[in-house]
Amino acid sequence: MSFFRLDGRKRTPLFVQLYEAVREAILKGELKPSTRIPSSRDLMNQLGVSRTTVVTAMDRLVAEGYLQSVRGSGTFVSCELPNESPFTLPTSARQAPAKQVNLDSPRNLELSEVSEYGHGLSSIDLATLATGSPQPFCPGEPALDSFPIEVWSKIVRSIWKKVNAFDLSYGEPGGQLLLKKSVAEYLQSQRGVRCDSSQVMIVNGTQQAVELVSRILINPKDKLLFENPGYVSARETFEKQGADIVPMRVDENGAVVDEGIQLAPKAKLAYVTPSHQYPLGVTMPIERRLELLAWAAKSGGWILEDDYDSEYRYGQNPIPSLQGLDTFDRTLYVGSFSKVVFPALGLGYIIVPRQLIPIFENALRLTSRPASQMDQLVLTEFIREGHFGRHLRRMRKIHSERRKAFVEAVESDLSEHLRIIGSMAGLHCTALLRQRRSDKNLVKKLTEHGIITRALSTFYKRSTNKQDHLNGLVMGFASATPSKIRKSLQLAAKCF
Amino acid sequence: MSFFRLDGRKRTPLFVQLYEAVREAILKGELKPSTRIPSSRDLMNQLGVSRTTVVTAMDRLVAEGYLQSVRGSGTFVSCELPNESPFTLPTSARQAPAKQVNLDSPRNLELSEVSEYGHGLSSIDLATLATGSPQPFCPGEPALDSFPIEVWSKIVRSIWKKVNAFDLSYGEPGGQLLLKKSVAEYLQSQRGVRCDSSQVMIVNGTQQAVELVSRILINPKDKLLFENPGYVSARETFEKQGADIVPMRVDENGAVVDEGIQLAPKAKLAYVTPSHQYPLGVTMPIERRLELLAWAAKSGGWILEDDYDSEYRYGQNPIPSLQGLDTFDRTLYVGSFSKVVFPALGLGYIIVPRQLIPIFENALRLTSRPASQMDQLVLTEFIREGHFGRHLRRMRKIHSERRKAFVEAVESDLSEHLRIIGSMAGLHCTALLRQRRSDKNLVKKLTEHGIITRALSTFYKRSTNKQDHLNGLVMGFASATPSKIRKSLQLAAKCF
């Protein structure tokens, strides 16, 4: 075994070098099964290393099964090693490739190697799923520069002062009881949601909520009513799950419910954003809400109400949730703390009808660890000490100022090109293009100047007739200060 | 409208009381569409409230679409409200129940209302999925009493001192780059894993890892080799996804790979715990590892290596991962920080073969928000400042002492009843019953005395012939101090 080169100047200890060298020789078949290994003394002399080095390396090789020690006769390369191993198989050992997955991947992947779901994931247009980042005019981003970091980190410190082994342990799937209670109280009083804490499931943001709802309620080929244009990430989640998406037109009163119901009276679920339609920003009035609820009650369909940014409404009180009108328990209500606390928290919730509680709890057990226990403790304190309410009132004011600055700047600098709709609520609005032109090209051009917007046309289901697309820019107005907003819009004006 | 009773002593403001009363009357059909609402002055007089109260309530009802204001002629109940609403439908409106889901649920749920997956979730035996809690002898629970809370919370404080808007924003699916790099370096040097940081996906614990692997690779009815007995939560995840579980027998060398391969040569995936079989605690030697790898390379199958507690190995160095021997990129490697940092963190990782990176990243985008950004930042610092390495060395010592105390106490107090296997690694071992008796009954009896263990027989796939079950107790030895361990085992001895 004198062909092993050990090097005392390397950072890897000599015994590890010896272990690795022998292991490699065995794996590659250079040391054949049953080959006798020289004695420790011989190895010491041949390699010029200490006895400890040799013994430690050999013990490890024996422990892992590369070598076998036979009392009285010495140490041998294991005779139980299989003839075939990844190290002796030719690289061509694998069967000829079947149909390949179309992915920008360094190696080829066969279709049969992944599931249908896995295969479907290769066709997502990632650009449309990009999450916001704190720059104008990314939708969905609140005024993070105004978050009370001091208050929050004070709670963090106080929590860590009293942490015990129990807090460090595994948490309950579905969230901590105190947080569930706080969320239930908040939603009852502020959003008119009908629920108690047992119906609250704490999840990792809206995406996990939609994913769970999709898995638990939707079988492949089930029909699903979905706003068009609508929230792309949610639609993709349902589509990849195999749902048959039936697009519902959206007008100035939100989803046109009666048309949708006529298209798919037996739909399994209807996904809606009644408080502030995403992306058009309009609000669904009471008559459509009642129509939708009556449909669900009669047909046994479900409603998924995504109330993603309803806390912010300008010049009026927030409109109570649709769920609060549902006396038949057909509505699942989804919300998140990303826009009212901060996105990095990644905490959201689903309010599930009572009859679905056990299934959701089991699903949460099987699909994920619960969200960060420490974040849950801190958020609970933040709510219970009244900071959340104060923060929300402050953010309403700040967002309202930014919205005003945004709307005024568009009207003064860009009114010949853009017409704003749906700016009465939330953190974004949609600016329709007055001229017929490609919003995608415009978004590209703006991006080149460091201005981030989304093309309205990308929110439509791909199969929609292009003539029915509205063209426009979906723009967040909450993440930048009024002066930054004005400057960025002046810059944007030059791109038209 | 004098029948509305407003009460100034209630906490609810008068305008809200008026709003709610009118709304309810409209929803219940007591106020019919097109009914004229008295003037503000009349309402003020009738109800004995201020003009502001009346106007605020009426404005809100108009904004939400309950009332319509016609200039010059007054305010009317909206004539657009549908005849059918949840409030006018009889409770019997729903169709006759089809086959019902068997759930301990307050209301009946029809089979057709949930997906097959959702329906499957009603048949989980929750007891077997219970997560640990810090008491003897819950498996999977580290020595949380020895966690360096001071060090960790110091890092938390320092992170919060330099937090900026970017840190509060949405994070990258799959985890923060610096954490991915730290994990890759750790796994390369300590577990012999072949990977770079792009292959690291940060997830919410092992359960999310298994869930993602299952969804991305497994179609319903795909055959899947699974250790028997094995990790129940992972098996349930695959089963609920529709996989056809082919049980692999486990002997003193871990899963009997050649038997498994003979049963299902075309299996899509093999799930194994080669470092420390769960629950039996044995280690898979090199020859079986090579056999499994050769099978995967030739058949195009996948291997899921769950390396859940391999960091702890007593009297020997940890055995390098199976993934590190896989030159054909067929192995997905899963681990978690629950047992080496603390479970409340809920952070884990999957190392995916390069060709699967884009699919996993898309799946993470669509199924969940990334794990807590703050926890990721803190963990990264904990690793990079060397605390993680120090903590691990300290925990190895502490766990080793507890293991010793446990094994010695069983030998002195319980040796006529129990025989320990698989205690050379990890945080638990299995104590086989020397007498043929029901381990489930024993577990129940012990639980009555406050001693938490798991029955080995519950780790077998339900269809397994009961004669092939080993009966025993799966017991964690890491969460309690040596003296607590001795006391609890003395108490346990009385239950036999």
Side-chain angles (χ1 to χ4, degrees):
Chain A
M1 309 210 350
S2 53
F3 55 86
F4 298 131
R5 282 175 187 276
L6 308 186
D7 185 345
R9 288 162 305 179
K10 280 193 190 163
R11 268 187 65 192
T12 313
L14 284 172
F15 82 89
V16 175
Q17 290 185 38
L18 179 56
Y19 157 83
E20 286 179 348
V22 176
R23 191 175 75 147
E24 200 185 324
I26 295 174
L27 288 171
K28 291 194 171 156
E30 293 161 10
L31 282 175
K32 302 280 178 217
S34 304
T35 307
R36 189 198 183 93
I37 301 291
S39 71
S40 304
R41 179 171 303 274
D42 287 351
L43 280 173
M44 281 165 62
N45 294 338
Q46 278 179 31
L47 301 167
V49 295
S50 75
R51 189 177 149 78
T52 316
T53 297
V54 171
V55 171
T56 313
M58 293 303 132
D59 281 357
R60 194 157 161 183
L61 290 160
V62 171
E64 295 181 14
Y66 292 94
L67 301 181
Q68 287 172 324
S69 204
V70 182
R71 194 179 295 216
S73 26
T75 305
F76 302 84
V77 175
S78 169
C79 55
E80 287 168 15
L81 293 177
N83 294 326
E84 279 189 341
S85 89
F87 299 88
T88 59
L89 282 172
T91 47
S92 60
R94 285 187 46 202
Q95 297 155 330
K99 197 177 160 199
Q100 280 175 0
V101 175
N102 175 24
L103 269 182
D104 299 322
S105 149
R107 307 208 189 175
N108 294 327
L109 190 64
E110 294 166 27
L111 198 63
S112 62
E113 295 182 74
V114 295
S115 68
E116 274 180 44
Y117 177 78
H119 181 234
L121 289 180
S122 56
S123 65
I124 296 180
D125 180 5
L126 296 185
T128 59
L129 295 185
T131 45
S133 63
Q135 50 189 327
F137 296 100
C138 254
E141 194 82 33
L144 291 178
D145 51 330
S146 305
F147 184 75
I149 289 179
E150 260 316 303
V151 174
W152 185 271
S153 56
K154 205 175 146 193
I155 299 175
V156 172
R157 287 198 299 273
S158 76
I159 295 277
W160 273 102
K161 263 183 205 153
K162 43 189 185 190
V163 150
N164 57 34
F166 183 80
D167 296 321
L168 296 179
S169 186
Y170 298 94
E172 283 300 308
Q176 295 169 2
L177 188 59
L178 266 183
L179 179 55
K180 291 168 78 149
K181 279 189 179 160
S182 303
V183 169
E185 281 165 22
Y186 162 66
L187 293 177
Q188 283 156 15
S189 71
Q190 298 300 307
R191 306 292 310 119
V193 169
R194 297 164 176 252
C195 70
D196 62 43
S197 58
S198 71
Q199 294 172 262
V200 179
M201 308 282 148
I202 304 293
V203 294
N204 288 301
T206 302
Q207 262 328 111
Q208 196 192 3
V210 173
E211 161 77 6
L212 281 172
V213 170
S214 171
R215 294 209 72 191
I216 289 174
L217 301 180
I218 307 298
N219 278 322
K221 301 201 178 126
D222 278 351
K223 284 197 193 303
L224 194 150
L225 290 167
F226 202 95
E227 298 171 337
N228 197 38
Y231 181 44
V232 180
S233 295
R235 193 175 60 221
E236 288 278 0
T237 300
F238 287 119
E239 269 179 358
K240 297 305 176 226
Q241 175 78 7
D244 177 5
I245 303 281
V246 179
M248 267 190 293
R249 197 163 59 85
V250 178
D251 66 15
E252 67 279 10
N253 288 320
V256 185
V257 170
D258 56 356
E259 274 186 25
I261 294 173
Q262 253 185 327
L263 286 170
K266 293 276 171 200
K268 192 74 164 281
L269 184 140
Y271 169 95
V272 284
T273 51
S275 296
H276 187 222
Q277 204 273 334
Y278 196 76
L280 293 183
V282 296
T283 301
M284 187 186 281
I286 185 65
E287 61 268 20
R288 289 212 182 154
R289 293 175 185 231
L290 294 175
E291 250 176 293
L292 192 59
L293 288 164
W295 163 77
K298 285 195 300 178
S299 74
W302 299 103
I303 299 168
L304 178 55
E305 176 178 22
D306 184 353
D307 213 27
Y308 64 103
D309 71 359
S310 59
E311 291 87 354
Y312 301 115
R313 189 155 189 93
Y314 309 108
Q316 282 179 338
N317 282 307
I319 288 181
S321 68
L322 182 147
Q323 193 267 9
L325 297 169
D326 182 5
T327 56
F328 280 76
D329 284 350
R330 307 306 304 168
T331 307
L332 299 97
Y333 176 91
V334 164
S336 116
F337 288 103
S338 292
K339 290 165 191 74
V340 287
V341 182
F342 56 87
L345 203 57
L347 288 178
Y349 43 81
I350 326 179
I351 312 304
V352 305
R354 261 173 245 284
Q355 64 272 36
L356 293 176
I357 294 173
I359 296 186
F360 270 86
E361 284 182 345
N362 284 354
L364 280 162
R365 264 189 198 90
L366 273 192
T367 58
S368 177
R369 272 266 152 257
S372 164
Q373 298 297 312
M374 294 306 150
D375 285 350
Q376 290 190 56
L377 287 172
V378 177
L379 177 58
T380 306
E381 280 296 291
F382 189 72
I383 298 173
R384 295 184 87 81
E385 287 181 4
H387 300 296
F388 179 63
R390 271 191 291 284
H391 176 56
L392 205 47
R393 285 191 290 278
R394 214 174 130 247
M395 292 302 269
R396 282 196 181 116
K397 212 170 138 244
I398 293 170
H399 289 158
S400 173
E401 285 161 11
R402 293 182 178 189
R403 174 193 159 270
K404 188 159 167 275
F406 179 84
V407 172
E408 285 174 1
V410 168
E411 278 167 6
S412 83
D413 299 336
L414 284 154
S415 62
E416 55 178 313
H417 304 295
L418 298 178
R419 182 167 68 87
I420 291 181
I421 57 169
S423 76
M424 288 312 288
L427 304 179
H428 80 275
C429 62
T430 292
L432 297 179
L433 301 186
R434 291 190 188 274
Q435 288 86 26
R436 190 88 201 161
R437 61 186 286 186
S438 156
D439 51 11
K440 285 183 200 160
N441 289 343
L442 187 56
V443 164
K444 250 184 228 161
K445 204 163 166 190
L446 287 166
T447 306
E448 283 162 18
H449 290 75
I451 296 168
I452 310 299
T453 60
R454 300 275 174 75
L456 178 54
S457 61
T458 61
F459 290 78
Y460 287 86
K461 190 165 147 58
R462 261 181 291 269
S463 61
T464 316
N465 191 331
K466 288 247 157 37
Q467 312 238 295
D468 296 334
H469 284 188
L470 291 170
N471 275 262
L473 303 176
V474 180
M475 298 169 91
F477 50 70
S479 66
T481 59
S483 74
K484 173 89 182 153
I485 287 173
R486 281 187 284 268
K487 261 186 235 158
S488 299
L489 283 176
Q490 274 162 17
L491 181 60
K494 292 181 190 151
C495 298
F496 279 83
Chain B
M1 311 223 331
S2 55
F3 55 86
F4 297 131
R5 282 177 188 275
L6 307 187
D7 185 346
R9 288 162 306 179
K10 281 193 189 161
R11 267 187 64 193
T12 314
L14 284 171
F15 81 89
V16 176
Q17 290 184 40
L18 179 57
Y19 157 83
E20 285 178 348
V22 177
R23 192 177 74 148
E24 199 185 325
I26 295 174
L27 287 171
K28 290 194 171 156
E30 293 160 10
L31 281 176
K32 302 279 178 217
S34 303
T35 306
R36 189 198 182 94
I37 301 292
S39 72
S40 305
R41 179 170 303 273
D42 288 350
L43 279 174
M44 280 165 62
N45 294 337
Q46 278 177 32
L47 301 167
V49 295
S50 76
R51 190 178 149 74
T52 316
T53 297
V54 172
V55 171
T56 313
M58 294 303 132
D59 281 357
R60 194 158 161 183
L61 290 161
V62 171
E64 295 181 13
Y66 292 94
L67 301 181
Q68 288 173 322
S69 204
V70 182
R71 193 178 296 215
S73 27
T75 305
F76 303 84
V77 175
S78 169
C79 56
E80 287 168 15
L81 293 177
N83 293 326
E84 279 188 340
S85 89
F87 300 87
T88 59
L89 281 173
T91 46
S92 60
R94 284 185 47 200
Q95 296 156 329
K99 197 178 160 198
Q100 281 175 358
V101 175
N102 175 24
L103 268 182
D104 300 323
S105 148
R107 308 205 188 178
N108 295 326
L109 190 64
E110 293 166 29
L111 197 64
S112 62
E113 295 182 76
V114 295
S115 67
E116 275 180 42
Y117 177 77
H119 180 236
L121 289 180
S122 56
S123 66
I124 296 180
D125 180 5
L126 296 185
T128 59
L129 295 186
T131 45
S133 63
Q135 49 189 329
F137 297 99
C138 253
E141 194 82 32
L144 291 178
D145 51 329
S146 306
F147 184 75
I149 290 180
E150 260 316 302
V151 174
W152 185 271
S153 57
K154 205 175 146 192
I155 299 176
V156 171
R157 288 197 298 273
S158 77
I159 295 277
W160 273 102
K161 264 181 204 153
K162 43 188 186 191
V163 149
N164 57 33
F166 183 81
D167 296 321
L168 296 178
S169 186
Y170 298 93
E172 282 300 309
Q176 294 168 2
L177 188 59
L178 264 182
L179 179 56
K180 293 168 77 148
K181 278 189 179 160
S182 303
V183 169
E185 281 165 22
Y186 162 67
L187 293 177
Q188 284 157 14
S189 70
Q190 298 300 308
R191 306 292 310 120
V193 169
R194 299 164 175 252
C195 69
D196 62 45
S197 58
S198 71
Q199 294 172 262
V200 180
M201 307 284 149
I202 302 293
V203 294
N204 288 300
T206 303
Q207 263 325 113
Q208 197 191 5
V210 174
E211 161 78 6
L212 281 172
V213 170
S214 171
R215 294 209 73 192
I216 289 173
L217 301 181
I218 308 297
N219 278 322
K221 302 200 177 127
D222 277 351
K223 285 196 192 303
L224 194 150
L225 290 167
F226 202 94
E227 298 171 337
N228 197 38
Y231 181 45
V232 179
S233 295
R235 193 176 59 222
E236 289 278 1
T237 299
F238 287 120
E239 270 179 357
K240 297 305 175 226
Q241 176 78 7
D244 178 5
I245 303 282
V246 179
M248 266 190 293
R249 197 163 59 85
V250 179
D251 65 14
E252 67 279 10
N253 288 319
V256 185
V257 170
D258 55 357
E259 275 185 26
I261 294 174
Q262 253 185 327
L263 286 170
K266 292 279 172 199
K268 191 75 164 280
L269 183 140
Y271 169 95
V272 284
T273 51
S275 295
H276 187 223
Q277 204 273 333
Y278 196 77
L280 292 183
V282 296
T283 302
M284 187 186 282
I286 184 66
E287 62 268 21
R288 289 211 182 153
R289 293 175 184 230
L290 294 175
E291 251 175 292
L292 192 60
L293 288 165
W295 162 78
K298 285 196 300 178
S299 74
W302 299 103
I303 299 168
L304 178 54
E305 176 178 22
D306 185 352
D307 214 26
Y308 64 103
D309 71 359
S310 59
E311 292 85 355
Y312 300 115
R313 191 156 188 90
Y314 309 109
Q316 283 179 337
N317 281 308
I319 288 180
S321 68
L322 181 147
Q323 192 268 9
L325 296 170
D326 182 5
T327 56
F328 279 77
D329 284 352
R330 308 305 304 169
T331 308
L332 299 97
Y333 176 92
V334 164
S336 117
F337 287 103
S338 292
K339 291 165 190 76
V340 287
V341 182
F342 56 87
L345 203 56
L347 288 178
Y349 43 81
I350 327 179
I351 312 304
V352 306
R354 260 174 245 284
Q355 66 272 35
L356 293 175
I357 294 174
I359 296 186
F360 270 86
E361 284 183 345
N362 284 355
L364 280 162
R365 264 189 197 91
L366 272 192
T367 57
S368 177
R369 273 266 152 256
S372 164
Q373 297 297 311
M374 294 306 151
D375 286 350
Q376 290 190 56
L377 286 172
V378 178
L379 178 58
T380 305
E381 280 296 290
F382 189 73
I383 297 173
R384 295 184 86 81
E385 287 180 3
H387 301 295
F388 179 64
R390 271 191 291 282
H391 176 55
L392 205 47
R393 284 191 290 278
R394 214 174 129 246
M395 292 302 270
R396 282 196 181 117
K397 214 171 137 243
I398 292 169
H399 289 158
S400 175
E401 285 161 11
R402 294 182 177 190
R403 174 194 159 270
K404 189 161 167 274
F406 178 84
V407 172
E408 284 174 1
V410 168
E411 277 167 9
S412 83
D413 299 336
L414 284 154
S415 61
E416 54 179 313
H417 304 294
L418 298 178
R419 181 167 67 87
I420 291 180
I421 58 170
S423 75
M424 289 311 288
L427 304 179
H428 80 276
C429 61
T430 293
L432 297 180
L433 301 186
R434 290 191 188 274
Q435 288 86 27
R436 189 90 200 160
R437 61 186 287 185
S438 156
D439 51 10
K440 283 184 201 160
N441 289 344
L442 187 57
V443 165
K444 250 185 227 159
K445 205 164 166 189
L446 288 166
T447 305
E448 284 163 18
H449 290 75
I451 295 168
I452 310 299
T453 61
R454 300 275 173 75
L456 178 54
S457 61
T458 61
F459 291 77
Y460 287 86
K461 190 165 147 58
R462 262 182 289 268
S463 61
T464 315
N465 190 332
K466 288 247 159 36
Q467 313 240 295
D468 296 334
H469 285 188
L470 291 171
N471 275 262
L473 303 176
V474 180
M475 300 169 89
F477 51 69
S479 66
T481 60
S483 73
K484 175 90 181 150
I485 287 172
R486 280 187 285 268
K487 260 186 236 159
S488 300
L489 283 176
Q490 274 161 17
L491 182 61
K494 292 180 190 150
C495 298
F496 279 85

